[in-house]
Amino acid sequence: MNLVTLLPFIVLIGAMFLMTRSAKKKQQAAAQMRDHMTPGTGVRTIGGMYATVKEIGEDTVTLEVAPGVHAIYAKNSIGAVLEDAEYNRIVHGAGDDLTIDTPVVPDDASSLTLDKGDEADAPKLDLGKKDEPKADEPKATEAKADDADEAEPKDGKGDGEAGAK
């Protein structure tokens, strides 16, 4: 066999080796991260839930998901161990900068109404409907025909009773 025929197989084996090596490194980093958990540490699960570690077992961890609510999770379900500052910022909103240019919602509606001087400048919007009937109401011509008891149906036949006599 010559080298040209073996080259694709050598490249394939090399690529598989590199992929398994990087996957092992990721698994080792995740295991090391989980080993650094201590009770009181804030964590994020792989499902995206934030909780505080209460107890650590061999394969499980007890998390406090809400005050007084404890749940048991597998250690493998911990996606990230968070620093205290980051956990408090995400969960409790501590440290949020409120000086950002965000609109402030007033406590009452008085600042939302127009002053007397502003009413003249404000464009008038006609939000009312025109004189068109609603979908469930018959049109004016149909209403007259339906209201009259003597009106003949459009097909020219009676209501069925006259034909039965």
Side-chain angles (χ1 to χ4, degrees):
M1 292 191 139
N2 63 18
L3 186 62
V4 176
T5 15
L6 292 177
L7 188 62
F9 293 112
I10 293 171
V11 170
L12 183 64
I13 291 171
M16 287 177 25
F17 173 74
L18 291 175
M19 285 190 286
T20 57
R21 184 176 169 196
S22 67
K24 282 184 181 181
K25 282 186 178 181
K26 287 181 183 178
Q27 287 177 351
Q28 286 175 349
Q32 185 179 13
M33 179 235 356
R34 290 183 192 110
D35 289 339
H36 285 97
M37 281 190 304
T38 58
T41 306
V43 295
R44 182 184 67 234
T45 65
I46 57 174
M49 182 178 61
Y50 292 92
T52 305
V53 176
K54 286 299 173 184
E55 293 179 17
I56 299 173
E58 188 174 326
D59 293 330
T60 61
V61 71
T62 303
L63 301 178
E64 185 176 30
V65 295
V69 179
H70 298 95
I72 299 173
Y73 283 84
K75 274 189 178 179
N76 292 338
S77 68
I78 303 300
V81 177
L82 306 172
E83 296 177 11
D84 289 338
E86 183 180 5
Y87 179 77
N88 288 331
R89 180 185 60 82
I90 293 170
V91 175
H92 303 297
D96 284 346
D97 187 14
L98 297 178
T99 60
I100 301 174
D101 294 334
T102 56
V104 177
V105 179
D107 290 337
D108 60 354
S110 63
S111 64
L112 300 176
T113 59
L114 297 174
D115 292 335
K116 293 291 183 188
D118 293 340
E119 287 180 13
D121 298 337
K124 301 289 183 185
L125 294 177
D126 183 20
L127 299 177
K129 292 197 172 209
K130 304 290 183 226
D131 292 335
E132 294 190 24
K134 295 180 183 175
D136 58 342
E137 291 180 1
K139 293 182 181 177
T141 57
E142 293 176 8
K144 290 178 184 175
D146 289 342
D147 291 341
D149 293 333
E150 298 85 21
E152 289 290 325
K154 291 182 182 179
D155 59 359
K157 298 178 184 175
D159 57 358
E161 295 177 13
K165 290 182 182 178

